[in-house]
Amino acid sequence: MELASRRAASLLAVAAIAAVFLAGPATAVGKTGQVTVFWGRNKDEGTLREACDSGLYTMVIMSFLNVYGHGKYNLDLSGHPIAGIGDDIKHCQFIGVPVSLSIGGFGNGYSLPSNRSALELFDYLWNAYFGASKAGVYRPFGDAWLDGVDLFLEHGTPADRYDVLALELAKHNIRGAPGKPLHLTATPRCTFPPSSYLGRAVATGIFERIHIRIYDDDNCEAYWHLAWDKWTAAYPATRFYVGMTASEMTHGWVHPKNVYYDVAPSTQKADNYGGFMIWDRYYDKLSNYTSMVKAYA
């Protein structure tokens, strides 16, 4: 009964949430200078603080919380020592670079098969990484409070309730501390329409940003322009970032020259263009990719 009541309250809150998140269309004309990078996939990429201090990025997304949905949780930062990350988060925030946490990833240890599992994940996230604490819930970054949640979902089923998670996060965003918005984002492959479990979530209309990955996908290499147009038209109040890989060895890598002549002008035609998303900090540090394309963002 309590779960049903919470779900009903979530649905009733959609209009109020949309009024806050979607007060007007996301209007971006041309360049924004916004570049988001994923950090946490290789311990040789350097610290989170170093990524923020590079001056290359306007947001960093830590990846991944890769186990959840069945009462167990695991944060995988590829061998990065947890000690000190809390201070790095605070430093990044102090210099104006928000830090989010991506959930999902490339493993098979996650799912949200019910409303209850979605609400339990919210409860865990809120108490472990955001503005609350709870006995028995470990806060890996101490009193550091992250800036958002990203959905990086490589698998799922129609039963997964990421919409319930999103609505609950959005409700708490409204009640958050002044000046502390919670950035709700997703990072799907470029295929449109999205899978049902993600589509139901983004259909709530409360995602601030979506990063469309145009790499590591045979279909995207040829058809990403068409997919981009469909995504941006379907969700006009959401900002869209074009996701590119910094590794020349990854399928779908875009030469910086082609970013200038094709990717940037093509994506920036959309009124809700947001910027670039770069995968990931490790490869970017090796290739200096963002240094070469940032001016076009």
Side-chain angles (χ1 to χ4, degrees):
M1 181 65 70
E2 179 183 356
L3 179 62
S5 298
R6 291 181 70 182
R7 175 59 177 158
S10 292
L11 292 173
L12 289 172
V14 172
I17 294 168
V20 173
F21 278 82
L22 310 180
T27 55
V29 180
K31 297 178 183 179
T32 64
Q34 299 294 303
V35 179
T36 290
V37 71
F38 274 77
W39 176 91
R41 302 319 311 140
N42 192 304
K43 65 181 180 180
D44 293 328
E45 67 197 327
T47 67
L48 177 63
R49 180 182 297 242
E50 290 170 352
C52 294
D53 283 342
S54 70
L56 295 171
Y57 316 116
T58 52
M59 174 177 272
V60 178
I61 300 179
M62 296 195 300
S63 55
F64 294 107
L65 183 76
N66 66 348
V67 174
Y68 57 79
H70 301 280
K72 295 181 179 180
Y73 305 95
N74 181 67
L75 176 67
D76 177 15
L77 296 180
S78 305
H80 281 286
I82 297 298
I85 293 181
D87 288 338
D88 286 0
I89 292 168
K90 293 178 182 178
H91 172 77
C92 292
Q93 292 167 338
F94 179 75
I95 64 173
V97 181
V99 181
S100 288
L101 174 65
S102 190
I103 69 172
F106 301 105
N108 58 7
Y110 59 88
S111 64
L112 283 184
S114 65
N115 290 10
R116 180 178 297 279
S117 63
L119 294 172
E120 287 175 350
L121 175 57
F122 162 77
D123 188 69
Y124 170 76
L125 289 169
W126 195 248
N127 287 287
Y129 298 100
F130 292 97
S133 60
K134 185 177 182 179
V137 177
Y138 172 59
R139 293 187 62 89
F141 308 135
D143 61 356
W145 180 346
L146 291 176
D147 295 289
V149 174
D150 176 75
L151 305 185
F152 193 110
L153 307 175
E154 285 290 275
H155 64 80
T157 72
D160 284 331
R161 300 316 303 261
Y162 290 97
D163 56 325
V164 176
L165 174 65
L167 287 166
E168 200 70 15
L169 286 166
K171 285 164 52 182
H172 283 71
N173 184 37
I174 293 173
R175 298 198 297 266
K180 188 71 172 177
L182 191 154
H183 302 283
L184 187 56
T185 66
T187 307
R189 293 179 180 270
C190 80
T191 302
F192 188 91
S195 55
S196 59
Y197 50 90
L198 178 62
R200 186 163 49 206
V202 297
T204 61
I206 57 178
F207 279 72
E208 174 189 328
R209 295 167 21 178
I210 296 178
H211 317 115
I212 302 298
R213 291 182 275 158
I214 66 169
Y215 60 90
D216 199 24
D217 189 317
D218 291 340
N219 292 326
C220 283
E221 185 171 2
Y223 301 111
W224 74 262
H225 298 80
L226 179 60
W228 174 269
D229 290 343
K230 291 180 177 180
W231 275 102
T232 55
Y235 307 102
T238 297
R239 290 195 185 276
F240 281 84
Y241 285 55
V242 57
M244 298 177 287
T245 176
S247 171
E248 190 173 351
M249 302 302 293
T250 300
H251 184 77
W253 177 80
V254 181
H255 191 285
K257 179 179 66 176
N258 292 331
V259 175
Y260 175 77
Y261 284 109
D262 181 19
V263 174
S266 296
T267 57
Q268 289 165 10
K269 292 176 183 177
D271 288 338
N272 49 346
Y273 165 80
F276 293 170
M277 182 280 285
I278 302 298
W279 181 272
D280 59 1
R281 171 59 179 166
Y282 172 70
Y283 292 115
D284 200 26
K285 192 173 180 180
L286 293 177
S287 67
N288 293 312
Y289 191 73
T290 296
S291 296
M292 292 183 280
V293 302
K294 182 178 174 64
Y296 315 141

